[in-house]
Amino acid sequence: MKDVKKSPFLREMCKTVSNMYRLGWDERNGGNVSLLLDENEVAKYLDPKKVKRTIPIGFDAKELAGKIFLVTGTGKYFKNVEDDPENNLGIIRIAPDGVTAELLWGYADGGRFTSELPAHLMSHIARLKVNPKNRVVMHCHPVNLLSMTFIHSLDEREFTRSLWRTCTECMVVFPDGIGVLPWMLCGTPEIGIATAEKMNDFRLVVWAQHGIYGAGADLDETFGLIETAEKGAEIYMKTLPYPILQTITDEDLKVIAKAFNVTYKEGWVD
Ligand code: 2HA
Ligand code: ZN
């Protein structure tokens, strides 16, 4: 058996959460990430028959039975993950009953997965139906996107259009737009269900006055998605106090979509 700490998936997860911390997206224990792993890849590092302990999931995730995820731990600080992955991360398999997680590695100090696991797993279920290659759900608290939820309308079309207008990349990277939820209590099945419903239509879902969820095929793609939305939000917030003399127009947005061969949400460009 190879050392799981040297596996590409674990190293990439460590690097990703370190970058999220460095960018100020994840203060204290803020944020959580789940990565769907390839069973054959995991088998090179871990004996799938060796279950360390079982942990109740809190809802029925039967649709994901047998699937293995690398998940950040509850209460853990992203800044510490890279130096101590075994305490801060865990590898879990969804048991056949759907309501139990089988711990294969990690959470070594007796810990468990993020309190947002229901929102993650429900989002995985939703995104896998849209794109079978979807492997990542990522949650964090980027300052500018969060700030926008205080001063901007939470209408999804208007919120997205404000970001699209901030720089060319936004239309290129998230032509499918951003879903927005009003403030809700985190860690509950209710917010998980609401997030997953949005994930039927969007890869990005903003939680007003809390943060953002992103979904994608791999860690880089999902990180880049949030990074681009946050860059747009930073430009939006920085320019807000000043008179706008010029911006990206609807005509320009259509030119971008055509040039980069992306399809934007129908009716979201006038
Ligand atoms: O895990 O970000 O939403 C800490 C959080 C809860
Ligand atoms: Zn959060």
Side-chain angles (χ1 to χ4, degrees):
M1 274 302 141
K2 295 203 251 176
D3 180 3
V4 69
K5 281 190 209 141
K6 298 203 172 99
S7 65
F9 54 81
L10 206 96
R11 292 177 60 93
E12 203 191 344
M13 176 66 95
C14 286
K15 288 230 164 346
T16 302
V17 297
S18 288
N19 276 327
M20 294 172 79
Y21 173 70
R22 188 176 56 75
L23 290 171
W25 300 353
D26 299 279
E27 75 293 341
R28 201 173 180 273
N29 63 320
N32 26 75
V33 184
S34 58
L35 167 65
L36 175 57
L37 299 174
D38 182 282
E39 286 152 46
N40 297 323
E41 182 69 10
V42 175
K44 293 182 197 163
Y45 302 91
L46 298 170
D47 180 349
K49 287 189 286 297
K50 283 206 180 123
V51 175
K52 288 183 182 291
R53 57 190 158 97
T54 57
I55 311 171
I57 295 177
F59 82 104
D60 189 349
K62 215 172 254 133
E63 279 186 69
L64 297 171
K67 296 222 183 304
I68 301 174
F69 293 89
L70 173 58
V71 187
T72 53
T74 184
K76 301 301 190 195
Y77 293 25
F78 275 18
K79 78 181 176 65
N80 298 336
V81 173
E82 195 158 15
D83 283 340
D84 187 9
E86 200 153 357
N87 278 320
N88 292 290
L89 300 173
I91 296 177
I92 56 166
R93 180 175 52 213
I94 311 304
D97 67 7
V99 295
T100 313
E102 300 169 328
L103 181 64
L104 301 180
W105 178 87
Y107 308 140
D109 58 5
R112 49 183 285 154
F113 39 74
T114 169
S115 56
E116 301 293 357
L117 194 71
H120 278 252
L121 294 184
M122 289 180 205
S123 295
H124 276 287
I125 292 169
R127 286 313 302 174
L128 282 167
K129 284 184 187 142
V130 183
N131 174 16
K133 288 201 165 72
N134 193 94
R135 292 197 163 263
V136 176
V137 173
M138 185 179 283
H139 166 64
C140 56
H141 307 156
V143 175
N144 294 287
L145 279 164
L146 247 139
S147 301
M148 259 182 89
T149 67
F150 289 80
I151 48 109
H152 194 285
S153 139
L154 297 182
D155 179 86
E156 295 170 331
R157 182 180 186 273
E158 288 317 310
F159 198 92
T160 300
R161 285 169 53 78
S162 289
L163 291 175
W164 280 347
R165 284 192 288 255
T166 60
C167 55
T168 310
E169 282 299 297
C170 283
M171 171 55 95
V172 179
V173 174
F174 52 92
D176 44 345
I178 301 187
V180 182
L181 289 178
W183 184 88
M184 292 172 76
L185 185 63
C186 57
T188 61
E190 288 74 23
I191 201 166
I193 292 165
T195 307
E197 255 168 36
K198 293 287 180 198
M199 285 277 180
N200 292 324
D201 295 313
F202 302 99
R203 291 171 300 149
L204 286 169
V205 180
V206 165
W207 286 4
Q209 295 87 48
H210 183 130
I212 189 163
Y213 265 75
D218 56 40
L219 287 166
D220 263 358
E221 182 189 295
T222 316
F223 182 93
L225 198 53
I226 294 176
E227 190 180 26
T228 308
E230 171 62 2
K231 169 65 75 70
E234 182 172 0
I235 295 164
Y236 183 87
M237 292 307 298
K238 282 205 166 130
T239 53
L240 192 65
Y242 307 106
I244 299 292
L245 302 183
Q246 51 276 321
T247 185
I248 297 176
T249 64
D250 280 78
E251 279 317 306
D252 297 335
L253 290 174
K254 287 180 193 163
V255 170
I256 298 168
K258 190 153 186 273
F260 287 87
N261 198 24
V262 296
T263 309
Y264 52 79
K265 197 117 302 32
E266 206 183 327
W268 283 27
V269 176
D270 287 333

